[in-house]
Amino acid sequence: MDFNVKKLASDAGVFFTRAVQFTEEKLGQAEKTELDPHLENLITRADGTKNWTEKILRQTEVLLQPNPSARIGEFIYDKLDKKLPSRMTNAELLGQYMLDAAKEFGPGTPYGSTLIIVGEYQVRLGGAEREFLQTSAATFLTPLRNFLEGDWRTISKERRLLENRRLDLDICKARLKKAKQAEAKAAAAPDFQETRPRNYVLSASASAAEHELRVAQTEFDRQAEVTRLLLEGISSTHLNHLRCLQDFAEAQATYYAQCHHYMLELRKELSRHANAIGTPNSSATVCPSPVSSAFLSGPSSSGATVSTSSSQKPSTLAMEQTPFPVTGTRKAKVLYDYDAHDVSELSLLADELITVYTVPGMDPDWLIGERGNEKGKVPVTYLELLS
């Protein structure tokens, strides 16, 4: 390998000289050229942008992928410039397990058929999550990484060059100062035997130092201008990150809206499925099991207790005629259709308004609903209580 020894020695000398200048500045033994206040403000703003971008990027990665091992794997694949293998989301994996379990238990059984319904919606939720992760990575994470790995590296490189130019400028100033002092000292105490040669050498040395200072000042000013232009570009970076942040928030809102929609559909599907198989207890995934009609009918006017095996007509009359201590009567909007499982309950139609209240000792998951002359228990999960 061909080495340029002279250049290597020159670079080592420059590095040593800069190190000495830097150390003397830190110890207060040398003067330091201060940067323009506007440039200092730009540097401070750029440092803040870099630090907060790193924090936001790291925390967003944690939000999107809580598993540290998975994040390390993604980092390795990204550095190797290889495509990340497709991986199922947790919701998709759960849905697949439910569908496989349904096959084993029998899709015709109540449990198996319900597993199929819930499993399919879990797969949909996982698909929505996958789309959200891909959109967030493309519209938010990638621009932040590009700034840190591209623009910021360029800015850092130019800032290092500016610092070196400043050190060179201060070194030249120190050299010129020493040359001027030596020249003034020689003029104040001349040596008559070597006056001409000595004054000539000192004058030439001062002239050379002035020339080096002018060159260093020119290079410093040029580098300061380049650095300033790059730092002023941080404003454009903020605008770009602003658009990316809006895209991320929009993707997040879309994802949660999809999840909410799927869960509402799942709730309705489970309710219809429970009514179809004709087993009231199967609706427990949506609302609590119905309470016996004797709970609401209470003692009759003659003191006899109404039996749960009584006919529908006596049970209805008992409910309508028995007075209840009403607590907190208010209006409620029905969210979904509901089919009563027995005569103690009240069937509901979506979007209708009813009056609801509770009675002492009643299950908190149920309310008494009234619609005209009809009255019965209604599940709280099917209602939106209005003020």
Side-chain angles (χ1 to χ4, degrees), residues 334-362:
V334 179
L335 298 176
Y336 320 108
D337 294 344
Y338 178 74
D339 295 330
H341 293 102
D342 55 45
V343 295
S344 68
E345 298 179 7
L346 180 65
S347 295
L348 303 173
L349 295 176
D351 297 328
E352 69 174 334
L353 294 177
I354 62 173
T355 302
V356 295
Y357 56 87
T358 185
V359 295
M362 189 174 181

mmCIF file of all heavy atoms in Angstrom, residues 334-362:
data_model
loop_
_atom_site.group_PDB
_atom_site.id
_atom_site.type_symbol
_atom_site.label_atom_id
_atom_site.label_comp_id
_atom_site.label_asym_id
_atom_site.label_seq_id
_atom_site.Cartn_x
_atom_site.Cartn_y
_atom_site.Cartn_z
ATOM 1 N N VAL A 334 -81.285 3.027 22.441
ATOM 2 C CA VAL A 334 -80.955 1.632 22.176
ATOM 3 C C VAL A 334 -79.913 1.570 21.064
ATOM 4 O O VAL A 334 -80.094 2.162 19.994
ATOM 5 C CB VAL A 334 -82.219 0.836 21.790
ATOM 6 C CG1 VAL A 334 -81.858 -0.609 21.501
ATOM 7 C CG2 VAL A 334 -83.258 0.922 22.909
ATOM 8 N N LEU A 335 -78.818 0.871 21.329
ATOM 9 C CA LEU A 335 -77.728 0.772 20.355
ATOM 10 C C LEU A 335 -77.942 -0.356 19.354
ATOM 11 O O LEU A 335 -77.622 -0.210 18.176
ATOM 12 C CB LEU A 335 -76.394 0.565 21.081
ATOM 13 C CG LEU A 335 -75.957 1.692 22.025
ATOM 14 C CD1 LEU A 335 -74.674 1.315 22.752
ATOM 15 C CD2 LEU A 335 -75.769 2.988 21.258
ATOM 16 N N TYR A 336 -78.470 -1.501 19.810
ATOM 17 C CA TYR A 336 -78.622 -2.669 18.944
ATOM 18 C C TYR A 336 -79.980 -3.333 19.216
ATOM 19 O O TYR A 336 -80.582 -3.154 20.278
ATOM 20 C CB TYR A 336 -77.507 -3.700 19.181
ATOM 21 C CG TYR A 336 -76.155 -3.101 19.401
ATOM 22 C CD1 TYR A 336 -75.567 -3.106 20.665
ATOM 23 C CD2 TYR A 336 -75.464 -2.527 18.344
ATOM 24 C CE1 TYR A 336 -74.323 -2.546 20.868
ATOM 25 C CE2 TYR A 336 -74.217 -1.959 18.545
ATOM 26 C CZ TYR A 336 -73.651 -1.963 19.805
ATOM 27 O OH TYR A 336 -72.424 -1.408 20.004
ATOM 28 N N ASP A 337 -80.430 -4.069 18.248
ATOM 29 C CA ASP A 337 -81.644 -4.868 18.445
ATOM 30 C C ASP A 337 -81.406 -5.925 19.523
ATOM 31 O O ASP A 337 -80.313 -6.491 19.628
ATOM 32 C CB ASP A 337 -82.042 -5.565 17.142
ATOM 33 C CG ASP A 337 -82.469 -4.566 16.068
ATOM 34 O OD1 ASP A 337 -82.745 -3.404 16.426
ATOM 35 O OD2 ASP A 337 -82.519 -4.960 14.889
ATOM 36 N N TYR A 338 -82.450 -6.160 20.321
ATOM 37 C CA TYR A 338 -82.342 -7.182 21.366
ATOM 38 C C TYR A 338 -83.672 -7.921 21.451
ATOM 39 O O TYR A 338 -84.739 -7.304 21.540
ATOM 40 C CB TYR A 338 -82.006 -6.535 22.716
ATOM 41 C CG TYR A 338 -81.935 -7.525 23.855
ATOM 42 C CD1 TYR A 338 -80.853 -8.391 23.976
ATOM 43 C CD2 TYR A 338 -82.971 -7.609 24.793
ATOM 44 C CE1 TYR A 338 -80.788 -9.310 25.006
ATOM 45 C CE2 TYR A 338 -82.908 -8.525 25.824
ATOM 46 C CZ TYR A 338 -81.815 -9.378 25.930
ATOM 47 O OH TYR A 338 -81.755 -10.297 26.947
ATOM 48 N N ASP A 339 -83.605 -9.252 21.406
ATOM 49 C CA ASP A 339 -84.788 -10.092 21.527
ATOM 50 C C ASP A 339 -84.895 -10.629 22.947
ATOM 51 O O ASP A 339 -83.935 -11.231 23.475
ATOM 52 C CB ASP A 339 -84.719 -11.266 20.538
ATOM 53 C CG ASP A 339 -84.763 -10.799 19.093
ATOM 54 O OD1 ASP A 339 -85.385 -9.745 18.831
ATOM 55 O OD2 ASP A 339 -84.147 -11.466 18.231
ATOM 56 N N ALA A 340 -86.012 -10.364 23.580
ATOM 57 C CA ALA A 340 -86.217 -10.822 24.956
ATOM 58 C C ALA A 340 -86.180 -12.348 25.008
ATOM 59 O O ALA A 340 -86.732 -13.040 24.153
ATOM 60 C CB ALA A 340 -87.552 -10.299 25.476
ATOM 61 N N HIS A 341 -85.522 -12.873 26.054
ATOM 62 C CA HIS A 341 -85.416 -14.323 26.226
ATOM 63 C C HIS A 341 -86.587 -14.891 27.015
ATOM 64 O O HIS A 341 -86.844 -16.100 26.969
ATOM 65 C CB HIS A 341 -84.106 -14.676 26.921
ATOM 66 C CG HIS A 341 -82.884 -14.381 26.091
ATOM 67 N ND1 HIS A 341 -82.081 -13.272 26.300
ATOM 68 C CD2 HIS A 341 -82.347 -15.028 25.023
ATOM 69 C CE1 HIS A 341 -81.102 -13.265 25.424
ATOM 70 N NE2 HIS A 341 -81.241 -14.318 24.636
ATOM 71 N N ASP A 342 -87.259 -14.070 27.796
ATOM 72 C CA ASP A 342 -88.449 -14.516 28.520
ATOM 73 C C ASP A 342 -89.335 -13.296 28.768
ATOM 74 O O ASP A 342 -89.007 -12.177 28.381
ATOM 75 C CB ASP A 342 -88.067 -15.224 29.842
ATOM 76 C CG ASP A 342 -87.185 -14.372 30.722
ATOM 77 O OD1 ASP A 342 -87.490 -13.181 30.885
ATOM 78 O OD2 ASP A 342 -86.177 -14.896 31.248
ATOM 79 N N VAL A 343 -90.448 -13.525 29.442
ATOM 80 C CA VAL A 343 -91.449 -12.456 29.605
ATOM 81 C C VAL A 343 -90.986 -11.377 30.568
ATOM 82 O O VAL A 343 -91.582 -10.294 30.613
ATOM 83 C CB VAL A 343 -92.781 -13.058 30.089
ATOM 84 C CG1 VAL A 343 -93.371 -13.968 29.030
ATOM 85 C CG2 VAL A 343 -92.593 -13.814 31.405
ATOM 86 N N SER A 344 -89.920 -11.637 31.356
ATOM 87 C CA SER A 344 -89.448 -10.604 32.278
ATOM 88 C C SER A 344 -88.596 -9.558 31.572
ATOM 89 O O SER A 344 -88.280 -8.528 32.157
ATOM 90 C CB SER A 344 -88.635 -11.249 33.411
ATOM 91 O OG SER A 344 -87.432 -11.781 32.904
ATOM 92 N N GLU A 345 -88.213 -9.825 30.317
ATOM 93 C CA GLU A 345 -87.357 -8.908 29.580
ATOM 94 C C GLU A 345 -88.159 -8.134 28.537
ATOM 95 O O GLU A 345 -89.277 -8.536 28.172
ATOM 96 C CB GLU A 345 -86.216 -9.669 28.888
ATOM 97 C CG GLU A 345 -85.295 -10.388 29.864
ATOM 98 C CD GLU A 345 -84.199 -11.138 29.165
ATOM 99 O OE1 GLU A 345 -84.069 -10.989 27.926
ATOM 100 O OE2 GLU A 345 -83.466 -11.886 29.844
ATOM 101 N N LEU A 346 -87.557 -7.054 28.075
ATOM 102 C CA LEU A 346 -88.208 -6.190 27.092
ATOM 103 C C LEU A 346 -87.390 -6.216 25.802
ATOM 104 O O LEU A 346 -86.184 -5.968 25.811
ATOM 105 C CB LEU A 346 -88.281 -4.753 27.624
ATOM 106 C CG LEU A 346 -88.931 -3.699 26.710
ATOM 107 C CD1 LEU A 346 -90.406 -4.017 26.500
ATOM 108 C CD2 LEU A 346 -88.752 -2.298 27.303
ATOM 109 N N SER A 347 -88.034 -6.554 24.699
ATOM 110 C CA SER A 347 -87.349 -6.542 23.403
ATOM 111 C C SER A 347 -87.065 -5.103 22.977
ATOM 112 O O SER A 347 -87.849 -4.186 23.263
ATOM 113 C CB SER A 347 -88.198 -7.243 22.343
ATOM 114 O OG SER A 347 -88.351 -8.614 22.652
ATOM 115 N N LEU A 348 -85.937 -4.917 22.277
ATOM 116 C CA LEU A 348 -85.497 -3.577 21.904
ATOM 117 C C LEU A 348 -85.250 -3.492 20.416
ATOM 118 O O LEU A 348 -84.885 -4.477 19.766
ATOM 119 C CB LEU A 348 -84.199 -3.213 22.651
ATOM 120 C CG LEU A 348 -84.248 -3.267 24.184
ATOM 121 C CD1 LEU A 348 -82.853 -3.049 24.756
ATOM 122 C CD2 LEU A 348 -85.224 -2.235 24.727
ATOM 123 N N LEU A 349 -85.421 -2.277 19.888
ATOM 124 C CA LEU A 349 -85.098 -1.981 18.502
ATOM 125 C C LEU A 349 -84.030 -0.901 18.481
ATOM 126 O O LEU A 349 -84.101 0.064 19.254
ATOM 127 C CB LEU A 349 -86.343 -1.508 17.742
ATOM 128 C CG LEU A 349 -87.469 -2.534 17.573
ATOM 129 C CD1 LEU A 349 -88.667 -1.891 16.891
ATOM 130 C CD2 LEU A 349 -86.983 -3.743 16.771
ATOM 131 N N ALA A 350 -83.057 -1.041 17.616
ATOM 132 C CA ALA A 350 -81.953 -0.079 17.548
ATOM 133 C C ALA A 350 -82.468 1.327 17.272
ATOM 134 O O ALA A 350 -83.416 1.528 16.509
ATOM 135 C CB ALA A 350 -80.958 -0.496 16.467
ATOM 136 N N ASP A 351 -81.859 2.295 17.954
ATOM 137 C CA ASP A 351 -82.099 3.735 17.781
ATOM 138 C C ASP A 351 -83.375 4.240 18.445
ATOM 139 O O ASP A 351 -83.663 5.435 18.378
ATOM 140 C CB ASP A 351 -82.132 4.127 16.294
ATOM 141 C CG ASP A 351 -80.792 3.883 15.614
ATOM 142 O OD1 ASP A 351 -79.760 4.002 16.295
ATOM 143 O OD2 ASP A 351 -80.792 3.570 14.408
ATOM 144 N N GLU A 352 -84.154 3.376 19.075
ATOM 145 C CA GLU A 352 -85.349 3.883 19.754
ATOM 146 C C GLU A 352 -84.971 4.424 21.134
ATOM 147 O O GLU A 352 -83.920 4.096 21.693
ATOM 148 C CB GLU A 352 -86.398 2.778 19.897
ATOM 149 C CG GLU A 352 -86.016 1.667 20.862
ATOM 150 C CD GLU A 352 -87.164 0.686 21.074
ATOM 151 O OE1 GLU A 352 -88.316 1.104 20.900
ATOM 152 O OE2 GLU A 352 -86.892 -0.473 21.420
ATOM 153 N N LEU A 353 -85.828 5.284 21.705
ATOM 154 C CA LEU A 353 -85.625 5.867 23.019
ATOM 155 C C LEU A 353 -86.574 5.232 24.014
ATOM 156 O O LEU A 353 -87.772 5.075 23.729
ATOM 157 C CB LEU A 353 -85.846 7.381 22.984
ATOM 158 C CG LEU A 353 -84.852 8.204 22.151
ATOM 159 C CD1 LEU A 353 -85.251 9.681 22.170
ATOM 160 C CD2 LEU A 353 -83.440 8.029 22.664
ATOM 161 N N ILE A 354 -86.050 4.856 25.180
ATOM 162 C CA ILE A 354 -86.873 4.271 26.233
ATOM 163 C C ILE A 354 -86.511 4.936 27.548
ATOM 164 O O ILE A 354 -85.492 5.633 27.658
ATOM 165 C CB ILE A 354 -86.665 2.743 26.340
ATOM 166 C CG1 ILE A 354 -85.203 2.433 26.705
ATOM 167 C CG2 ILE A 354 -87.050 2.040 25.051
ATOM 168 C CD1 ILE A 354 -84.963 0.958 26.992
ATOM 169 N N THR A 355 -87.348 4.732 28.541
ATOM 170 C CA THR A 355 -87.078 5.210 29.893
ATOM 171 C C THR A 355 -86.539 4.047 30.718
ATOM 172 O O THR A 355 -87.079 2.934 30.662
ATOM 173 C CB THR A 355 -88.356 5.750 30.547
ATOM 174 O OG1 THR A 355 -88.883 6.812 29.731
ATOM 175 C CG2 THR A 355 -88.084 6.280 31.945
ATOM 176 N N VAL A 356 -85.485 4.295 31.456
ATOM 177 C CA VAL A 356 -84.863 3.222 32.241
ATOM 178 C C VAL A 356 -84.665 3.694 33.672
ATOM 179 O O VAL A 356 -84.549 4.889 33.947
ATOM 180 C CB VAL A 356 -83.506 2.794 31.643
ATOM 181 C CG1 VAL A 356 -83.681 2.165 30.275
ATOM 182 C CG2 VAL A 356 -82.543 3.964 31.551
ATOM 183 N N TYR A 357 -84.653 2.726 34.573
ATOM 184 C CA TYR A 357 -84.338 2.984 35.969
ATOM 185 C C TYR A 357 -83.937 1.669 36.599
ATOM 186 O O TYR A 357 -84.047 0.593 36.000
ATOM 187 C CB TYR A 357 -85.534 3.619 36.700
ATOM 188 C CG TYR A 357 -86.806 2.808 36.629
ATOM 189 C CD1 TYR A 357 -87.076 1.813 37.566
ATOM 190 C CD2 TYR A 357 -87.749 3.049 35.636
ATOM 191 C CE1 TYR A 357 -88.240 1.067 37.503
ATOM 192 C CE2 TYR A 357 -88.905 2.315 35.564
ATOM 193 C CZ TYR A 357 -89.159 1.324 36.510
ATOM 194 O OH TYR A 357 -90.315 0.591 36.437
ATOM 195 N N THR A 358 -83.453 1.729 37.816
ATOM 196 C CA THR A 358 -83.057 0.534 38.543
ATOM 197 C C THR A 358 -83.831 0.445 39.840
ATOM 198 O O THR A 358 -84.512 1.402 40.253
ATOM 199 C CB THR A 358 -81.537 0.545 38.831
ATOM 200 O OG1 THR A 358 -81.165 -0.695 39.430
ATOM 201 C CG2 THR A 358 -81.157 1.702 39.754
ATOM 202 N N VAL A 359 -83.750 -0.712 40.478
ATOM 203 C CA VAL A 359 -84.407 -0.940 41.764
ATOM 204 C C VAL A 359 -83.370 -1.480 42.727
ATOM 205 O O VAL A 359 -82.374 -2.085 42.317
ATOM 206 C CB VAL A 359 -85.583 -1.933 41.613
ATOM 207 C CG1 VAL A 359 -86.674 -1.346 40.756
ATOM 208 C CG2 VAL A 359 -85.123 -3.265 41.066
ATOM 209 N N PRO A 360 -83.571 -1.289 44.023
ATOM 210 C CA PRO A 360 -82.593 -1.763 45.012
ATOM 211 C C PRO A 360 -82.366 -3.265 44.889
ATOM 212 O O PRO A 360 -83.297 -4.046 44.743
ATOM 213 C CB PRO A 360 -83.233 -1.384 46.345
ATOM 214 C CG PRO A 360 -84.133 -0.236 46.027
ATOM 215 C CD PRO A 360 -84.660 -0.521 44.663
ATOM 216 N N GLY A 361 -81.098 -3.642 44.953
ATOM 217 C CA GLY A 361 -80.740 -5.051 44.909
ATOM 218 C C GLY A 361 -80.694 -5.641 43.525
ATOM 219 O O GLY A 361 -80.436 -6.840 43.363
ATOM 220 N N MET A 362 -80.890 -4.843 42.486
ATOM 221 C CA MET A 362 -80.924 -5.355 41.115
ATOM 222 C C MET A 362 -79.515 -5.528 40.584
ATOM 223 O O MET A 362 -78.582 -4.806 40.952
ATOM 224 C CB MET A 362 -81.704 -4.372 40.225
ATOM 225 C CG MET A 362 -81.980 -4.900 38.824
ATOM 226 S SD MET A 362 -83.029 -3.764 37.907
ATOM 227 C CE MET A 362 -83.198 -4.667 36.365
#
